[in-house]
Amino acid sequence: RSFSGAARQNGTGTAQRVSTPIPHTRLTVIRIALFDDQELIRQGLCRLLDLAPDMTVVAEAESVQRSLVLITETAIDVALVDVRFQDGQGMDVLTGMNTLDNPPAAIMLTTFPDDAAMLECLQLGARGFLHKDIGLQDLLNTIRFVHGGGQLTHPAVHRQQRREESDQEIGRAHV
Protein backbone atom coordinates (compact mmCIF):
# COMPACT_ATOMS: atom_id res chain seq x y z
CA ARG A 1 0.00 0.00 0.00
CA SER A 2 1.14 3.52 -0.74
CA PHE A 3 1.02 6.06 2.05
CA SER A 4 1.54 9.76 2.39
CA GLY A 5 3.20 10.89 5.58
CA ALA A 6 1.72 13.73 7.63
CA ALA A 7 2.64 15.11 11.02
CA ARG A 8 -0.04 15.31 13.70
CA GLN A 9 0.09 16.26 17.34
CA ASN A 10 -0.52 13.36 19.68
CA GLY A 11 -1.95 13.69 23.19
CA THR A 12 1.46 14.52 24.70
CA GLY A 13 2.01 17.54 22.44
CA THR A 14 4.79 15.94 20.38
CA ALA A 15 4.59 15.44 16.65
CA GLN A 16 3.76 11.95 15.48
CA ARG A 17 3.95 10.50 11.95
CA VAL A 18 0.53 9.53 10.60
CA SER A 19 0.14 7.53 7.40
CA THR A 20 -2.76 8.29 5.12
CA PRO A 21 -3.52 5.98 2.19
CA ILE A 22 -2.99 7.49 -1.27
CA PRO A 23 -5.91 6.62 -3.55
CA HIS A 24 -4.90 4.00 -6.13
CA THR A 25 -5.48 4.73 -9.76
CA ARG A 26 -6.28 1.91 -12.15
CA LEU A 27 -2.97 1.04 -13.77
CA THR A 28 -2.90 -0.43 -17.26
CA VAL A 29 -0.55 -3.38 -17.16
CA ILE A 30 1.37 -4.03 -20.38
CA ARG A 31 1.51 -7.76 -21.21
CA ILE A 32 4.97 -8.59 -22.55
CA ALA A 33 6.38 -11.61 -24.37
CA LEU A 34 10.10 -12.37 -24.38
CA PHE A 35 11.27 -14.25 -27.47
CA ASP A 36 15.02 -14.91 -27.27
CA ASP A 37 17.05 -18.10 -27.61
CA GLN A 38 19.35 -17.15 -24.72
CA GLU A 39 17.92 -18.23 -21.39
CA LEU A 40 20.00 -15.76 -19.39
CA ILE A 41 18.65 -12.86 -21.47
CA ARG A 42 15.05 -14.04 -20.97
CA GLN A 43 15.50 -14.55 -17.22
CA GLY A 44 17.27 -11.22 -16.75
CA LEU A 45 14.69 -9.30 -18.76
CA CYS A 46 11.85 -11.02 -16.92
CA ARG A 47 13.26 -10.04 -13.52
CA LEU A 48 13.97 -6.48 -14.62
CA LEU A 49 10.56 -5.99 -16.22
CA ASP A 50 8.88 -7.29 -13.07
CA LEU A 51 10.30 -4.23 -11.29
CA ALA A 52 7.98 -2.02 -13.36
CA PRO A 53 4.51 -1.82 -11.79
CA ASP A 54 2.86 -1.36 -15.19
CA MET A 55 4.42 -4.40 -16.91
CA THR A 56 4.16 -8.16 -16.63
CA VAL A 57 5.81 -10.92 -18.63
CA VAL A 58 3.09 -13.28 -19.87
CA ALA A 59 5.09 -15.47 -22.27
CA GLU A 60 8.64 -16.61 -22.95
CA ALA A 61 10.01 -18.61 -25.85
CA GLU A 62 13.47 -19.85 -26.78
CA SER A 63 12.73 -20.57 -30.44
CA VAL A 64 10.93 -19.20 -33.46
CA GLN A 65 8.67 -22.27 -33.45
CA ARG A 66 7.62 -21.80 -29.81
CA SER A 67 7.20 -18.03 -30.33
CA LEU A 68 4.79 -18.68 -33.21
CA VAL A 69 2.70 -20.95 -30.97
CA LEU A 70 2.61 -18.47 -28.08
CA ILE A 71 1.53 -15.49 -30.19
CA THR A 72 -1.64 -17.37 -31.08
CA GLU A 73 -2.31 -18.67 -27.55
CA THR A 74 -1.46 -15.67 -25.37
CA ALA A 75 -2.80 -12.12 -25.11
CA ILE A 76 0.35 -10.03 -25.70
CA ASP A 77 0.62 -6.25 -25.94
CA VAL A 78 4.35 -5.94 -26.67
CA ALA A 79 6.77 -8.62 -27.85
CA LEU A 80 10.52 -8.28 -27.36
CA VAL A 81 11.94 -10.38 -30.20
CA ASP A 82 15.55 -11.42 -30.77
CA VAL A 83 16.71 -10.86 -34.35
CA ARG A 84 18.46 -14.25 -34.56
CA PHE A 85 17.42 -17.60 -33.12
CA GLN A 86 19.04 -21.00 -33.49
CA ASP A 87 16.04 -22.22 -35.52
CA GLY A 88 15.39 -19.11 -37.60
CA GLN A 89 15.12 -15.35 -37.62
CA GLY A 90 13.10 -12.82 -35.67
CA MET A 91 11.65 -11.81 -39.05
CA ASP A 92 9.89 -15.21 -39.08
CA VAL A 93 8.20 -14.29 -35.79
CA LEU A 94 7.16 -10.91 -37.24
CA THR A 95 5.71 -12.64 -40.30
CA GLY A 96 3.68 -14.89 -37.99
CA MET A 97 2.46 -11.90 -35.98
CA ASN A 98 1.29 -10.24 -39.19
CA THR A 99 -1.23 -13.06 -39.66
CA LEU A 100 -3.04 -12.07 -36.46
CA ASP A 101 -6.07 -9.77 -36.44
CA ASN A 102 -4.55 -7.67 -33.66
CA PRO A 103 -0.79 -8.32 -33.56
CA PRO A 104 1.27 -7.16 -30.60
CA ALA A 105 3.70 -4.30 -31.03
CA ALA A 106 7.15 -5.78 -31.68
CA ILE A 107 10.48 -4.43 -30.51
CA MET A 108 13.46 -6.22 -32.01
CA LEU A 109 16.53 -6.89 -29.88
CA THR A 110 20.01 -7.52 -31.20
CA THR A 111 23.56 -7.83 -30.00
CA PHE A 112 25.17 -6.66 -33.22
CA PRO A 113 24.22 -3.66 -35.38
CA ASP A 114 22.78 -4.82 -38.69
CA ASP A 115 21.13 -2.13 -40.84
CA ALA A 116 19.78 -4.62 -43.38
CA ALA A 117 18.08 -6.76 -40.70
CA MET A 118 16.75 -3.66 -38.97
CA LEU A 119 15.22 -2.30 -42.17
CA GLU A 120 13.65 -5.67 -42.96
CA CYS A 121 12.18 -5.90 -39.45
CA LEU A 122 10.75 -2.39 -39.67
CA GLN A 123 9.26 -3.18 -43.10
CA LEU A 124 7.62 -6.24 -41.51
CA GLY A 125 5.98 -4.04 -38.89
CA ALA A 126 8.42 -3.91 -35.98
CA ARG A 127 7.95 -0.72 -34.01
CA GLY A 128 11.51 -0.52 -32.77
CA PHE A 129 14.97 -1.99 -33.01
CA LEU A 130 17.22 -1.93 -29.92
CA HIS A 131 20.69 -3.13 -29.03
CA LYS A 132 20.82 -5.40 -26.00
CA ASP A 133 23.16 -3.01 -24.22
CA ILE A 134 20.27 -0.56 -23.67
CA GLY A 135 19.68 0.67 -20.12
CA LEU A 136 16.66 -0.48 -18.15
CA GLN A 137 14.91 2.91 -18.02
CA ASP A 138 15.33 3.37 -21.78
CA LEU A 139 13.89 -0.12 -22.37
CA LEU A 140 10.90 0.58 -20.11
CA ASN A 141 10.26 3.91 -21.82
CA THR A 142 10.50 2.25 -25.25
CA ILE A 143 8.00 -0.44 -24.26
CA ARG A 144 5.56 2.19 -22.99
CA PHE A 145 6.07 4.30 -26.12
CA VAL A 146 5.36 1.51 -28.61
CA HIS A 147 2.49 0.22 -26.47
CA GLY A 148 0.97 3.68 -26.82
CA GLY A 149 1.21 3.45 -30.61
CA GLY A 150 4.63 4.99 -31.14
CA GLN A 151 7.31 3.81 -33.52
CA LEU A 152 11.02 4.35 -33.04
CA THR A 153 13.01 5.62 -35.96
CA HIS A 154 16.68 4.95 -36.41
CA PRO A 155 19.35 6.89 -38.32
CA ALA A 156 19.77 3.94 -40.70
CA VAL A 157 16.12 4.28 -41.71
CA HIS A 158 16.70 7.92 -42.62
CA ARG A 159 19.87 7.01 -44.56
CA GLN A 160 17.94 4.36 -46.50
CA GLN A 161 15.11 6.78 -47.26
CA ARG A 162 17.60 9.37 -48.54
CA ARG A 163 19.27 6.72 -50.73
CA GLU A 164 15.91 5.69 -52.18
CA GLU A 165 14.93 9.30 -52.83
CA SER A 166 18.31 9.94 -54.46
CA ASP A 167 17.93 6.82 -56.63
CA GLN A 168 14.44 8.00 -57.67
CA GLU A 169 15.80 11.44 -58.58
CA ILE A 170 18.59 9.87 -60.63
CA GLY A 171 16.03 7.65 -62.34
CA ARG A 172 13.83 10.65 -63.19
CA ALA A 173 16.85 12.56 -64.52
CA HIS A 174 17.61 9.73 -66.95
CA VAL A 175 14.05 9.50 -68.29
Side-chain angles (χ1 to χ4, degrees):
R1 256 168 81 123
S2 298
F3 291 93
S4 170
R8 181 177 81 187
Q9 296 290 328
N10 65 14
T12 63
T14 59
Q16 170 186 10
R17 229 39 206 158
V18 176
S19 296
T20 323
I22 296 173
H24 290 285
T25 58
R26 184 152 306 269
L27 188 65
T28 299
V29 177
I30 303 169
R31 298 167 298 191
I32 300 171
L34 303 175
F35 299 149
D36 195 299
D37 59 348
Q38 297 177 8
E39 184 175 357
L40 184 62
I41 297 294
R42 287 192 320 276
Q43 287 179 356
L45 283 172
C46 186
R47 287 198 174 108
L48 289 171
L49 293 172
D50 279 344
L51 297 173
D54 59 337
M55 296 181 197
T56 186
V57 175
V58 295
E60 293 182 48
E62 71 289 343
S63 67
V64 169
Q65 196 65 28
R66 183 72 182 136
S67 300
L68 293 172
V69 170
L70 289 175
I71 62 171
T72 61
E73 294 179 348
T74 312
I76 301 167
D77 298 314
V78 176
L80 300 178
V81 183
D82 193 6
V83 172
R84 288 178 179 55
F85 290 81
Q86 292 182 10
D87 68 333
Q89 303 291 318
M91 288 74 99
D92 302 327
V93 177
L94 287 173
T95 301
M97 286 183 190
N98 289 336
T99 66
L100 301 174
D101 290 334
N102 190 18
I107 299 170
M108 306 306 290
L109 299 175
T110 188
T111 305
F112 306 103
D114 182 344
D115 286 356
M118 182 198 58
L119 290 170
E120 185 175 350
C121 290
L122 294 174
Q123 289 168 347
L124 287 169
R127 299 249 193 99
F129 198 92
L130 301 174
H131 294 150
K132 290 181 180 177
D133 64 355
I134 188 170
L136 176 60
Q137 196 58 51
D138 288 336
L139 176 62
L140 297 177
N141 290 339
T142 299
I143 291 169
R144 291 178 184 118
F145 180 69
V146 301
H147 179 256
Q151 179 164 353
L152 297 178
T153 57
H154 191 275
V157 173
H158 298 293
R159 285 192 300 270
Q160 179 66 24
Q161 287 172 338
R162 284 193 301 272
R163 266 184 256 148
E164 289 172 3
E165 290 168 0
S166 177
D167 290 348
Q168 290 172 356
E169 288 175 17
I170 291 171
R172 282 192 295 264
H174 286 45
V175 175

